[in-house]
Amino acid sequence: MENISIAIDGGHSMFKIRAASLASPDERHSFQIPTVVIPAITLTNEQTRQKAELETVEVDGRRYFFGDTALRQGRSEVYTGQNADWIESPQHDALVLGAWRKAMQAFGNPSARVHLVMGLPAKFVGPQRDTLRNRIVALLTPRLRPGQTLRVMVQSQADAPLQWLSIENNGSLHPQRDLDSEAWGVIEIGHYTTDFALCDRGSMMEYAAISCAGMHLVYDGMSSALAQAKLPTSLDVVDAAVRSGSIKHFGQRVDVIPLLNQAKAGFEAVVMDEANRVFGQKAAVLDGIIIGGGGAEMLLDGLKQRYPNAVTSDEPRMMVAEGFCRLGLLSLLQS
């Protein structure tokens, strides 16, 4: 029987999925799904309909488009699930099913022990951990194939960078990392929240497990700035503006970096202020501060100026999913 680790970083702008098998633990299957869900509609074009079937799932008897199909067919102006309790919505269920389907297809739908790891913002872990775990178990158990078993683990998203640091690609503990004798901070910059953590010699500091606003502040500010400039504000346009600093307008590339810098400034100030409250003078004596999440690249230069001991990965956007994937492999090795 194959042993598979599946990690889902259920972000409010992108679901990031990373999966690996104990049979080839250094290899990864990686997917990203835009966090957009709409009720499925009838599509008249045959080719479009066939493509959409790959991003269509059924929840409680109702069909939904998710990901790129939902983004294009729905002409969305905001991401799905911009509220605290969205993990209990059919839209969240649809994205989890879509992530599960893509992961299973990547492995060929084998009979397998599957350890699935998901995350929650730091401030929601206490009240929502059991709710999310129970909901995912109820959602996926009827969809298991013969011989498949499932274990679901729910972690704080801010714990994932520590798992990326302390667990090797293959799921074994890193021989040169001993969190019991080190102190590390975490800033995980997501779309809905920015999550903080502090691990001091093996203990997680409760006062540091907090969240502040995430990248949605930049998106909101960018959308308002584009509207004032009489430019389009659909979600794909705003996302392009935030990611690249330019948009396409009537066949021409329009530079919107001044607008982006304005939108970014307020968000950066919020994160810097919260980081100062969390770490304070202790930042100088930490072994390092790990920066991850989809917004890491945008704020990395400023954070490194403030904290010279800041570190990140080659793929900060996938750091949470990778940390969870490594945790799943470790869990499989230990069970």
Side-chain angles (χ1 to χ4, degrees), residues 81-107:
Q82 300 301 301
N83 53 285
D85 59 355
W86 86 297
I87 63 164
E88 299 183 67
S89 70
Q91 289 79 15
H92 188 270
D93 291 345
L95 286 159
V96 171
L97 286 177
W100 174 264
R101 177 198 288 177
K102 287 179 180 291
M104 284 296 102
Q105 289 174 344
F107 289 108

Side-chain angles (χ1 to χ4, degrees), residues 121-261:
K123 66 180 180 180
F124 297 143
V125 172
Q128 293 186 352
R129 185 199 302 269
D130 290 343
T131 298
L132 179 58
R133 182 192 296 113
N134 294 338
R135 191 174 183 95
I136 298 306
V137 169
L139 180 69
L140 295 181
T141 297
R143 293 169 170 85
L144 295 177
R145 291 177 173 269
Q148 285 184 340
T149 62
L150 175 67
R151 179 187 178 191
V152 176
M153 294 173 281
V154 178
Q155 306 284 308
S156 168
Q157 288 168 187
D159 290 350
L162 292 167
Q163 291 150 1
W164 164 80
L165 181 76
S166 61
I167 304 172
E168 295 197 290
N169 283 351
N170 61 10
S172 61
L173 292 174
H174 199 299
Q176 297 176 340
R177 287 263 78 90
D178 180 11
L179 295 187
D180 287 338
S181 62
E182 299 174 344
W184 288 87
V186 173
I187 305 176
E188 198 277 316
I189 307 166
H191 187 82
Y192 189 61
T193 61
T194 297
D195 295 317
F196 297 82
L198 179 57
C199 180
D200 190 351
R201 287 161 292 184
S203 297
M204 301 301 296
M205 299 296 97
E206 194 66 29
Y207 68 81
I210 62 175
S211 305
C212 69
M215 281 280 290
H216 70 86
L217 290 184
V218 180
Y219 279 74
D220 294 346
M222 199 70 207
S223 181
S224 297
L226 290 172
Q228 290 176 9
K230 308 298 184 184
L231 293 169
T233 59
S234 60
L235 184 53
D236 55 343
V237 172
V238 174
D239 186 68
V242 171
R243 298 295 171 189
S244 69
S246 68
I247 64 171
K248 185 186 290 186
H249 192 234
F250 292 115
Q252 303 293 320
R253 299 304 302 184
V254 178
D255 184 348
V256 294
I257 288 179
L259 302 181
L260 177 58
N261 288 338

Side-chain angles (χ1 to χ4, degrees), residues 187 189 261 264-265 267-269 271-273 275-276 279 283 289 291 295-312:
I187 305 176
I189 307 166
N261 288 338
K264 170 188 168 183
F267 175 54
E268 187 171 35
V271 174
M272 291 293 188
D273 287 348
N276 185 57
F279 303 124
I289 297 177
I291 314 297
E297 293 181 0
M298 177 172 285
L299 300 189
L300 188 59
D301 289 344
L303 287 167
K304 281 191 171 182
Q305 288 180 12
R306 174 78 65 86
Y307 305 113
N309 55 349
V311 300
T312 191

